[in-house]
Amino acid sequence: MTTRRTLLKLGCVGAAALVNHPATAAEVCRNTDNDLRELKARIRNARLRPVSKLHSLTEPIIIDRVEMLRRDDQFLVRAVCTEGVTGWALANPGLMDSAFGIFVNRVAPFFSGKDARDLEMLLDEVFVTDSNYKWQGLALWICVARAELAILDLIGKRTGQPVHALLGGKLRDFVGLYHANGDRNHSAQWVVEKLKESVAESGARAVKFKLGARMHYTDASTARDHVLIPMVRKHFGDDMVIYADANSSYDVATALKIGRVMEAYNYGFFEEPVQFDYLQETKEVADGVSIPIAGGEQESSLWRFEWLIANRALQIVQPDLIYFGGLLRSLRVAAMAREAGIDIVPHISGSGLGSLYMAHFASVVSNTTEYQEYKGDPDKVPYEVTGRGGRFRAVDGRLAVPMTPGFGITFDPDYLSGLEPVRV
Ligand SMILES: [Mg+2]
């Protein structure tokens, strides 16, 4: 069946020919242009609408302070309101050990004295305050994201609600997972063995592996790609959902060739086929293959996501929940994508409670797939799931969405008592 998306991809004359439409090509063109204009307007409006229920909280929650604390190589963010309720977020130490100066000097002071119910608006304000936009990209937004997470945890604990309730209400009790393998240095057979081990451990029903040579390709990497793509499908069979990620390895011509191989083996999506910030080239690949093109983990701009979505350069959007600035900004991307009938499957890092924050996010989003990225529970900081104990880990290929206030975990109080303030 010819869908509206197919018509938009084909353009005016091709569309008229394809559907054997009695209208002239000019009329189809005019309608298509109108559809596009209307879609772009809806996407823009979606970006501007509230994405949470924070504005409906009746009592002010004034943030006394947001601060960065450290113990050994671990960084935690604490948000405290004027009533003394505390929210926590754990950072990814591999990123925060380079970025903490931006957090301490630029992000933390901004939130003092603000009403946490205004958090959506504050995310826009912090971007322009003191010319913070000049620091835009991962270094700024991971700091904003960790502040946001601590504040959301604080609001949840103060109001007795899990964070997903503050974000709009959960649509599902469990979040399904895909397991990603990040190797490019071993043989195709080795990757299959590792994926087998991961699937046996987590019970995931979907997998992802790497293509290309990361930001470039070689004859050897392309030869490996041509072995891996059929081998993974053959090993796991037709019921496994399989994705592959090129991390910007290819040029357009090579991406089209690889994409057609993936089509032949019924892959679920093709991630970052070409240089991540070559937006037009990404669209060329999307227009040239039927397999969905995924991307966005390096993206920090709502405007560029708007372009990627409106121009259908991506069929799966993947903002990183932390690199992009947190759950609320990522929900704006989800809302924009929804207008275009596009799914969001966020990128995550495992460290810094990536799966926990993802589970809250994925539980409230209607336009997502059955499978979210899963990288285990690599954090060293001691905590337990509030109420039921244990770590936050997958069972039978899925994560149970926490139901207790805040993010639903409790850090070990003895561990927290050893934290020291980070100063620069
Ligand atoms: Mg990726």
Side-chain angles (χ1 to χ4, degrees):
M1 184 179 159
T2 303
T3 64
R4 169 181 279 202
R5 183 181 149 202
T6 311
L7 293 172
L8 292 172
K9 271 188 152 186
L10 283 168
C12 313
V13 177
L18 182 76
V19 300
N20 194 23
H21 199 286
T24 64
E27 284 169 330
V28 172
C29 192
R30 200 157 45 241
N31 290 339
T32 306
D33 285 347
N34 288 339
D35 282 351
L36 262 175
R37 257 195 300 278
E38 190 235 350
L39 173 65
K40 286 178 179 174
R42 283 194 284 117
I43 292 170
R44 173 69 53 87
N45 286 337
R47 182 161 71 79
L48 300 173
R49 283 196 295 269
V51 292
S52 76
K53 291 185 174 174
L54 296 177
H55 56 279
S56 63
L57 297 173
T58 51
E59 298 290 321
I61 302 173
I62 305 302
I63 300 165
D64 179 67
R65 63 190 185 279
V66 174
E67 53 195 344
M68 176 73 70
L69 305 164
R70 180 174 196 165
R71 178 168 172 166
D72 303 320
D73 64 343
Q74 299 296 316
F75 296 85
L76 282 90
V77 175
R78 177 164 64 190
V80 186
C81 69
T82 49
E83 285 78 17
V85 180
T86 299
W88 291 96
L90 177 64
N92 178 343
L95 298 176
M96 197 53 82
D97 63 358
S98 295
F100 65 81
I102 295 174
F103 185 95
V104 172
N105 288 333
R106 294 185 162 271
V107 173
F110 168 83
F111 287 99
S112 292
K114 304 289 198 310
D115 188 334
R117 297 177 301 171
D118 296 331
L119 191 52
E120 289 194 45
M121 183 186 71
L122 296 176
L123 297 174
D124 296 325
E125 267 184 40
V126 71
F127 184 57
V128 294
T129 298
D130 293 333
S131 299
N132 281 335
Y133 59 87
K134 292 180 184 292
W135 297 79
Q136 69 177 304
L138 180 149
L140 172 67
W141 286 116
I142 65 167
C143 295
V144 174
R146 297 300 176 185
E148 180 216 66
L149 294 170
I151 294 167
L152 286 172
D153 193 48
L154 159 63
I155 300 170
K157 286 171 176 163
R158 167 78 188 278
T159 61
Q161 300 180 71
V163 168
H164 50 75
L166 302 172
L167 298 181
K170 72 179 165 60
L171 304 171
R172 52 190 69 86
D173 296 325
F174 294 91
V175 172
L177 307 169
Y178 74 81
H179 228 298
N181 179 275
D183 177 81
R184 284 193 172 90
N185 298 319
H186 293 83
S187 69
Q189 187 61 47
W190 186 94
V191 171
V192 169
E193 290 302 318
K194 287 293 165 191
L195 287 172
K196 259 170 70 178
E197 289 171 19
S198 300
V199 167
E201 187 185 329
S202 69
R205 293 169 181 81
V207 294
K208 187 173 86 177
F209 61 88
K210 298 292 192 185
L211 294 170
R214 181 176 280 272
M215 303 293 285
H216 73 294
Y217 66 96
T218 63
D219 289 347
S221 71
T222 302
R224 182 177 181 268
D225 296 342
H226 281 280
V227 173
L228 250 177
I229 295 168
M231 184 185 279
V232 176
R233 171 57 71 204
K234 189 171 171 207
H235 179 81
F236 286 102
D238 291 341
D239 291 340
M240 182 66 89
V241 173
I242 307 176
Y243 310 127
D245 180 3
N247 288 103
S248 301
S249 290
Y250 306 125
D251 51 39
V252 171
T254 308
L256 290 171
K257 283 183 201 156
I258 295 288
R260 284 177 193 128
V261 179
M262 293 169 73
E263 284 172 5
Y265 289 93
N266 195 27
Y267 272 55
F269 65 64
F270 183 6
E271 181 171 329
E272 282 192 341
V274 296
Q275 175 86 22
F276 57 81
D277 53 357
Y278 286 13
L279 307 191
Q280 186 63 44
E281 284 80 353
T282 301
K283 177 173 166 53
E284 285 176 37
V285 178
D287 287 346
V289 293
S290 61
I291 182 171
I293 300 301
E297 75 181 75
Q298 322 297 339
E299 190 51 77
S300 60
S301 163
L302 278 161
W303 291 95
R304 284 191 296 268
F305 264 120
E306 185 180 295
W307 191 94
L308 288 161
I309 292 166
N311 289 284
R312 298 177 186 277
L314 296 174
Q315 286 71 54
I316 304 276
V317 287
Q318 299 176 301
D320 182 286
L321 294 180
I322 308 302
Y323 308 168
F324 191 67
L327 306 188
L328 293 167
R329 291 188 90 236
S330 300
L331 282 173
R332 289 179 181 166
V333 179
M336 290 193 292
R338 192 180 304 122
E339 294 295 337
I342 287 174
D343 282 341
I344 182 168
V345 182
H347 177 267
I348 65 160
S349 301
S351 297
L353 294 172
S355 296
L356 177 70
Y357 301 132
M358 178 275 288
H360 282 266
F361 179 88
S363 75
V364 304
V365 173
S366 60
N367 53 319
T368 189
T369 67
E370 284 183 68
Y371 306 106
Q372 306 296 322
E373 184 156 31
Y374 182 63
K375 293 177 174 171
D377 171 36
D379 291 309
K380 296 181 214 158
V381 170
Y383 73 85
E384 62 176 31
V385 177
T386 309
R388 67 176 159 89
R391 306 280 293 192
F392 189 69
R393 287 178 183 157
V395 176
D396 195 24
R398 59 188 196 170
L399 291 164
V401 179
M403 289 306 298
T404 51
F407 282 104
I409 65 162
T410 304
F411 290 105
D412 177 4
D414 288 341
Y415 182 87
L416 296 181
S417 69
L419 292 167
E420 300 280 346
V422 174
R423 303 188 204 287
V424 290

